Amino acid sequence: MDSLTIEDADPDERRPAGPLYVPVRLGSAGGHQLRFLRDEFGARTAVGFTSAEALAAVLGRDQRWIRLAEPALRALSAPLGVARVTIDPVLAPPAPRRRHGQPQPQTPPLCARRDHALSS
């Protein structure tokens, strides 16, 4: 079977144009590390935003970020076991409590506008 190239991609598939704003945190050695979030099902996902304003609206103005193209974000996420990249996520309200006294999640889950699974 021949391998696929970018020209073989579905023309109707929406892809972000240009580098994304990717949230990072300072690592123990002082360098940047990708910040992974959880989707509405609890799975880890890499996230990227199409604008700094969209990132700030979800994660706050103090959130550090770097610019990465989607393929670079995937390449950095995959070896860490993160197979999803979510573009322009929005926060969703936490799920209602099921039992009395059960703690609420610390971070509200994300609801994806566009969600891309890592293809193999």
Side-chain angles (χ1 to χ4, degrees), residues 5 24-25 28-30 41 45 66 68-69 90 97-98 115 120:
T5 65
V24 295
R25 60 188 175 103
S28 58
F41 303 108
T45 181
I66 60 173
L68 287 175
V90 293
R97 292 184 187 190
R98 293 181 184 215
D115 198 12
S120 42

Side-chain angles (χ1 to χ4, degrees), residues 6 11 13 36 53 63 66 84 93 99-100 103 107-108 110 120:
I6 194 69
E13 183 178 343
F36 298 112
E53 292 78 20
Q63 174 63 55
I66 60 173
R84 299 196 77 85
R99 296 185 188 144
H100 181 68
T107 305
L110 296 172
S120 42

Side-chain angles (χ1 to χ4, degrees), residues 30-63:
H32 290 105
Q33 294 178 344
L34 292 178
R35 181 175 175 195
F36 298 112
L37 303 177
R38 300 223 175 243
D39 66 14
E40 63 269 23
F41 303 108
R44 285 177 34 172
T45 181
V47 295
F49 295 86
T50 54
S51 71
E53 292 78 20
L55 181 141
V58 174
L59 300 174
R61 292 256 171 232
D62 293 333
Q63 174 63 55

Side-chain angles (χ1 to χ4, degrees), residues 74-115:
R74 288 183 184 285
L76 291 170
S77 303
L80 301 172
V82 178
R84 299 196 77 85
V85 172
T86 304
I87 308 298
D88 286 332
V90 293
L91 288 177
R97 292 184 187 190
R98 293 181 184 215
R99 296 185 188 144
H100 181 68
Q102 183 179 5
Q104 287 288 350
Q106 294 280 338
T107 305
L110 296 172
C111 180
R113 289 186 186 162
R114 287 181 279 161
D115 198 12

